Amino acid sequence: MKKLISLMMIMVLVVVTAACSGSDSGKETNKGSDKPQATNSGGSNSGDKEKTDEGAKNVLDGDKPTLRQLQPFNHFDPNNDYVAKFLEEKTGYKVKYDMLPEEMFNEKLNLLMANKEPYDFMKLGKDQFYNLVEAGALEPLDELLEQYGDNLKAGINEETWKAATVDGKIYGVPEGGTGLSASTNLVIRKDWLDELGLEIPTNRDELYNVLKTIKEKKNVIPLSGYKSIFPEIATTFDIPTLSSNAFAWGELNGELIQQAQHPKMKDYLAFMNKLYDEGLIDSEWPINTGSKVIEKFTSGKAAIMSVAWWSSPSIVSALAKNFPDAKLETLPYLTGDSGKPSVGAGAGISYYIAIPKWAKNKEHAMNLINMKLEENLFKELVIGEEGVHHKVEDGKYYPILPKFNDDLNNASHFLTGTDQRVYEDYWQARVRKDPVLQGYYEQFQQQAEGNFVVDPMSKAKPIESVSKYTQSLMQFSEDTYMKYIGGSDSLDTFDSYLAQWEANGGKEMVEDAREWYNSQK
């Protein structure tokens, strides 16, 4: 209800803004929701076009205004960061950066938009972007891109642009990621495995036997973890997953399904409940956090955990401090019912860069966003100056430490689009900052190669019902699954849970998602 009221407030103010702009139509102005001056209306002769183009160029003449950007929350001050100063020097634009709060960020965003806070551009998450498009709060960017977006159009592929296109108009610059990658995998105490004469497990049954032996012989937690959907086990039942434990979608017999609807979900939950009842997974699984799992593993209380490659240096260091002779080994991605491993992955958009309808400096904002994708500037934004921040060895980029970390640790926060032709190569310099980090990252990718299963909804355009119901249904499923795993609820009620899930918006959401999915075939 709060979200609906906020959106209605935004819609009303957008209409008022448009009306005011209309009453000033005779004035020479570039404020509010006026169209960019680059527009060449049909029927004008070549002389008129030259005058129009010249007028458009003049918009950028003179002193550059100070721009305001709204960003997601992060734990640093962007206004005093090295990258902010670098960008100002290279582009000539001074930007005042504001952040949304760490909590209640969507409510704050809606309030800012309802008050027409004079931001020139904003970095938005997918749902935030969709909600503001729906409210009519964002400027269509097609004409601005045509006039000022040559670098953006060259560096961002057509498929990625589709994700920011609604009803035939582009409302945001889509900031793509680094391509498919594996984030987590199971890591085991190899010294204990050797002590017990056990082989590395490669499938679900072998994992069960290893867990059972560890419990009987070592008196430690065989497998510690948290969250109801544990990707490294769920995928052995062919259940679609994402390493972020997000609301994953999959395809079954040519039809789009949501994770909760998978016919083997009940089997997966039964297996997890079996592990729990037999003491083969952490007794505190339902109340664990990621930090607690790491603490148990590094203090020698657990034999196996799922490690994210970015957490590997701290985990390896803490374990070595407590147990200098400990050895770790990464398991292969486990095979299951299908006879082959699978690794869930998303291929979506990280952020959308949008311009509010009432922004006063639309052309300058687009010009700055475009400048940041100029070939040399973009490279220096991502990995700094060669010989100072990075070096090239065997065709690969390596960071020069500590300068790379000191200056560029928060560089990704300043991205407003990526050149998809080169970004993945540049970005990998970040995982080469530490040999442990690099080792785990590269090993996970090698193990996952050829086994990725891409979430079919990861590149979907915003769908209202999906945005509306995802969070509530995800929490409902998480709470229910944990009760099944812990044994406080019987799996005999699973059909009732699924019926309630559908009644609470799941059915509507899936129908709308399938409509989009089928339209892409």
Side-chain angles (χ1 to χ4, degrees):
M1 181 60 71
K2 289 182 180 179
K3 172 184 170 183
L4 178 60
I5 293 173
S6 297
L7 289 177
M8 290 176 65
M9 291 172 61
I10 297 170
M11 289 177 185
V12 169
L13 284 165
V14 169
V15 171
V16 172
T17 301
C20 292
S21 298
S23 65
D24 291 338
S25 59
K27 300 179 182 179
E28 293 182 6
T29 179
N30 189 42
K31 297 181 179 180
S33 59
D34 292 350
K35 298 293 184 184
Q37 297 177 24
T39 303
N40 178 38
S41 56
S44 60
N45 59 37
S46 60
D48 291 338
K49 183 180 187 307
E50 290 175 3
K51 291 178 182 178
T52 302
D53 288 347
E54 185 62 31
K57 293 175 184 176
N58 289 339
V59 174
L60 303 181
D61 287 349
D63 294 337
K64 293 179 178 178
T66 296
L67 301 177
R68 288 186 68 191
Q69 181 188 355
L70 183 64
Q71 299 177 314
F73 177 79
N74 207 331
H75 293 277
F76 78 107
D77 179 3
N79 292 292
N80 291 317
D81 194 85
Y82 168 89
V83 177
K85 297 171 184 176
F86 159 78
L87 287 172
E88 182 177 351
E89 178 186 340
K90 292 293 185 179
T91 66
Y93 284 102
K94 181 175 180 59
V95 179
K96 183 180 184 300
Y97 300 97
D98 292 342
M99 287 185 184
L100 290 170
E102 187 172 8
E103 298 180 357
M104 306 290 286
F105 43 85
N106 285 328
E107 289 81 357
K108 179 65 173 179
L109 175 63
N110 287 337
L111 181 61
L112 291 171
M113 295 299 96
N115 290 333
K116 295 190 294 182
E117 193 68 23
Y119 288 109
D120 295 296
F121 58 117
M122 307 179 293
K123 188 166 184 168
L124 304 170
K126 183 176 181 177
D127 287 346
Q128 295 169 336
F129 171 72
Y130 168 72
N131 289 336
L132 294 183
V133 170
E134 180 186 12
L138 301 182
E139 180 76 10
L141 303 183
D142 302 81
E143 294 179 7
L144 289 169
L145 285 165
E146 186 63 31
Q147 187 67 34
Y148 308 105
D150 54 338
N151 295 328
L152 293 164
K153 292 189 293 182
I156 299 173
N157 65 46
E158 182 179 352
E159 192 66 25
T160 301
W161 281 114
K162 289 180 181 179
T165 303
V166 180
D167 295 333
K169 294 182 179 180
I170 296 172
Y171 285 91
V173 175
E175 184 183 312
T178 57
L180 299 180
S181 67
S183 299
T184 66
N185 200 1
L186 296 179
V187 172
I188 192 168
R189 283 288 299 270
K190 181 64 164 57
D191 50 322
W192 290 353
L193 209 62
D194 292 342
E195 175 190 330
L196 299 174
L198 297 172
E199 298 293 327
I200 291 288
T202 62
N203 58 48
R204 188 173 69 230
D205 291 339
E206 290 176 0
L207 175 67
Y208 174 80
N209 292 330
V210 166
L211 296 177
K212 200 164 184 178
T213 303
I214 289 174
K215 175 179 170 54
E216 293 171 353
K217 304 293 186 181
K218 290 297 295 181
N219 194 31
V220 296
I221 302 166
L223 171 62
S224 187
Y226 70 112
K227 296 288 188 182
S228 63
I229 300 300
F230 195 65
E232 288 83 359
I233 293 179
T235 52
T236 69
F237 289 88
D238 303 323
I239 293 171
T241 67
L242 290 170
S243 60
S244 61
N245 294 297
F247 211 51
W249 297 74
E251 183 185 72
L252 186 65
N253 300 324
E255 184 175 53
L256 182 72
I257 62 165
Q258 211 288 315
Q259 185 185 70
Q261 300 173 302
H262 196 281
K264 293 182 182 177
M265 177 59 78
K266 188 174 180 180
D267 295 336
Y268 162 73
L269 293 169
F271 181 74
M272 292 296 289
N273 172 247
K274 177 182 179 180
L275 296 180
Y276 187 84
D277 283 349
E278 295 180 10
L280 304 185
I281 61 174
D282 199 330
S283 63
E284 295 184 323
W285 195 288
I287 61 172
N288 267 346
T289 62
S291 297
K292 286 183 177 179
V293 172
I294 291 173
E295 188 278 327
K296 290 176 183 180
F297 186 75
T298 57
S299 63
K301 297 176 183 177
I304 306 175
M305 69 169 288
S306 176
V307 171
W309 58 259
W310 54 85
S311 299
S312 59
S314 59
I315 293 173
V316 170
S317 175
L319 182 65
K321 182 178 179 180
N322 294 329
F323 305 96
D325 296 328
K327 296 179 182 178
L328 297 179
E329 184 152 337
T330 303
L331 274 59
Y333 288 103
L334 302 175
T335 60
D337 297 344
S338 67
K340 64 170 291 188
S342 65
V343 181
I349 307 305
S350 303
Y351 294 101
Y352 296 80
I353 316 305
I355 296 176
K357 261 194 179 301
W358 50 84
K360 295 180 179 180
N361 301 297
K362 296 183 178 74
E363 292 85 359
H364 282 284
M366 180 57 71
N367 189 49
L368 171 60
I369 295 167
N370 184 68
M371 290 174 74
K372 289 163 71 174
L373 251 70
E374 186 276 325
E375 181 181 356
N376 293 325
L377 196 155
F378 180 71
K379 183 176 184 179
E380 196 165 347
L381 167 59
V382 178
I383 56 175
E385 183 181 351
E386 186 171 354
V388 177
H389 298 99
H390 75 268
K391 58 186 177 181
V392 182
E393 295 180 358
D394 299 324
K396 297 179 180 180
Y397 298 100
Y398 287 81
I400 297 175
L401 302 176
K403 189 64 172 173
F404 186 94
N405 287 342
D406 291 345
D407 291 348
L408 301 173
N409 199 46
N410 299 306
S412 61
H413 192 81
F414 293 89
L415 292 175
T416 48
T418 60
D419 187 333
Q420 293 179 286
R421 298 167 297 185
V422 294
Y423 182 53
E424 185 174 357
D425 289 339
Y426 294 165
W427 176 86
Q428 289 189 17
R430 294 189 167 272
V431 302
R432 300 183 182 117
K433 294 188 294 184
D434 179 286
V436 173
L437 183 72
Q438 180 182 354
Y440 275 88
Y441 173 80
E442 292 181 351
Q443 184 181 27
F444 287 5
Q445 309 323 307
Q446 290 167 3
Q447 291 175 318
E449 187 175 357
N451 296 312
F452 284 114
V453 177
V454 178
D455 187 314
M457 286 290 287
S458 61
K459 283 193 173 181
K461 297 178 182 179
I463 298 172
E464 182 178 1
S465 58
V466 175
S467 300
K468 180 178 180 180
Y469 295 119
T470 289
Q471 290 300 322
S472 60
L473 290 176
M474 185 162 59
Q475 191 61 53
F476 175 54
S477 295
E478 177 67 17
D479 294 342
T480 305
Y481 294 167
M482 276 301 189
K483 292 176 183 177
Y484 291 145
I485 291 171
S488 59
D489 276 5
S490 169
L491 272 165
D492 291 341
T493 66
F494 184 83
D495 290 345
S496 297
Y497 145 74
L498 196 55
Q500 188 64 51
W501 183 90
E502 292 180 346
N504 288 352
K507 182 179 180 181
E508 178 187 348
M509 176 184 70
V510 171
E511 287 176 350
D512 291 345
R514 284 176 177 169
E515 181 179 354
W516 169 84
Y517 181 70
N518 292 334
S519 72
Q520 304 302 301
K521 293 182 177 179

